[in-house]
Amino acid sequence: MKKSFIPILTVVIALIVIWYGAAVALNIPWAKDQAKRAGTEPGFSELVADTWSQDKPKLPAPHQVVEEIWNTTVVMVAKGRGFSKRSLIYHSWVTLSATGLGFLLGTGLGILLAVGIVYNRVMDMSVMPWVIASQTIPILAIAPMIIVVLNAVGISGLLPKAMISMYLSFFPVVVGMVKGLRSPGAMQMDQMKTWNATRGQQFWRLRLPSSMPYLFASLKVAMAASLVGAIVGELPTGAVAGLGARLLAGSYYGQTIQIWSALIMAAALAAALVALIGVIQRVVLKRMGMA
């Protein structure tokens, strides 16, 4: 971590500098127009300061986004309103609930399909191409159909969003588990056969342990994809809660600071979830005796 801290810090600082510069470039036409209407001629430094403090900028400055996140999280908690509808914590929890359920459903479906593909040639030849083809359809085209169909049969709320998350998250699990279950070499499989091991014993004692590194790598991708699915699932429903709802409301009323704060919160949430899977991975693989 010490070796990677300086490179990471350098990249972060560079991104912030570029962000501030882009905020000036995108927001300065509005600042000039307002100054012209007011009949004033501000200097460049005054124009720059204005571009970093506009109420509805095209691109908010980093400190504006941080201030919005602070006001909708820490300040809300301090006031005892951590789960009010104006709090990002509340909206993050709504999105996280759909993300978690969709991730569990997608992981279970992906593992079952992978086992079937590895052990059944018919599924390998038929299901695997369909699994790959399913990801060529944009989720923005599928999400409204899933929402409408499930609403037509009386299913609404958490499950439709979880289904969209499941649709995005099962694919990396299928691909990773198929690769992992097939990772044991021919010598290892021959050795199991010389011990007269059954297919079940081969699965539990060789194939499944060998697939663990592949599974956890897939779960990290699946978790991030599941979060994206939950956010996308909130858009066509006109939801009033969730990070997707915050993005939608911000786009309606031109609240770019609100949009960017929701985006940064979603990125932080995804990073935390992926990091959690990484911690579980290290613990599990260490207990299994893997490096």
Side-chain angles (χ1 to χ4, degrees):
M1 292 184 63
K2 291 181 179 179
K3 293 181 179 179
S4 60
F5 177 75
I6 294 179
I8 292 175
L9 182 62
T10 303
V11 171
V12 170
I13 292 174
L15 289 175
I16 292 175
V17 170
I18 294 172
W19 189 346
Y20 271 111
V24 173
L26 291 175
N27 299 331
I28 203 167
W30 172 260
K32 289 181 177 179
D33 182 67
Q34 291 298 102
K36 184 177 180 180
R37 289 172 182 269
T40 60
E41 294 184 2
F44 181 74
S45 60
E46 294 174 325
L47 287 174
V48 170
D50 184 80
T51 60
W52 292 345
S53 60
Q54 294 175 5
D55 292 332
K56 294 183 179 181
K58 287 186 178 180
L59 177 63
H63 68 270
Q64 291 180 292
V65 177
V66 172
E67 182 181 2
E68 174 70 12
I69 294 175
W70 179 268
N71 291 335
T72 52
T73 54
V74 178
V75 175
M76 284 291 185
V77 172
K79 293 180 178 180
R81 301 174 58 193
F83 278 87
S84 70
K85 292 186 177 180
R86 298 189 63 183
S87 171
L88 265 181
I89 297 175
Y90 167 72
H91 291 287
S92 298
W93 170 252
V94 172
T95 300
L96 180 61
S97 59
T99 299
L101 180 57
F103 174 73
L104 293 177
L105 294 175
T107 299
L109 177 62
I111 292 174
L112 290 176
L113 288 176
V115 172
I117 289 170
V118 170
Y119 280 94
N120 190 293
R121 181 168 175 77
V122 175
M123 286 192 65
D124 187 15
M125 300 297 292
S126 59
V127 175
M128 193 62 179
W130 280 105
V131 169
I132 297 173
S134 69
Q135 302 303 303
T136 63
I137 306 173
I139 188 62
L140 288 175
I142 294 179
M145 292 188 289
I146 295 176
I147 299 295
V148 170
V149 170
L150 292 180
N151 282 336
V153 297
I155 300 176
S156 60
L158 178 64
L159 189 58
K161 293 190 294 182
M163 294 291 290
I164 297 170
S165 295
M166 180 190 71
Y167 176 81
L168 287 181
S169 62
F170 90 98
F171 175 73
V173 178
V174 172
V175 175
M177 280 300 290
V178 168
K179 180 68 174 177
L181 293 173
R182 288 175 173 170
S183 62
M187 293 183 63
Q188 293 173 308
M189 296 300 299
D190 289 341
Q191 187 176 23
M192 294 293 289
K193 291 178 181 178
T194 59
W195 292 341
N196 199 27
T198 63
R199 298 185 73 181
Q201 291 173 327
Q202 292 177 12
F203 175 79
W204 291 107
R205 300 183 181 181
L206 178 60
R207 289 187 183 273
L208 187 61
S210 299
S211 68
M212 285 296 103
Y214 297 87
L215 174 62
F216 281 108
S218 301
L219 291 181
K220 293 176 183 178
V221 179
M223 179 59 81
S226 181
L227 179 63
V228 172
I231 293 174
V232 171
E234 293 166 351
L235 299 179
T237 61
V240 295
L243 295 177
R246 292 280 292 183
L247 294 172
L248 195 61
S251 66
Y252 281 158
Y253 301 106
Q255 297 290 342
T256 52
I257 299 177
Q258 177 179 309
I259 293 174
W260 277 83
S261 65
L263 288 172
I264 297 299
M265 194 69 176
L269 186 60
L273 293 172
V274 171
L276 177 61
I277 293 177
V279 172
I280 297 173
Q281 176 184 4
R282 286 193 293 270
V283 173
V284 171
L285 296 185
K286 184 177 181 180
R287 291 182 64 87
M288 292 177 66
M290 297 184 183

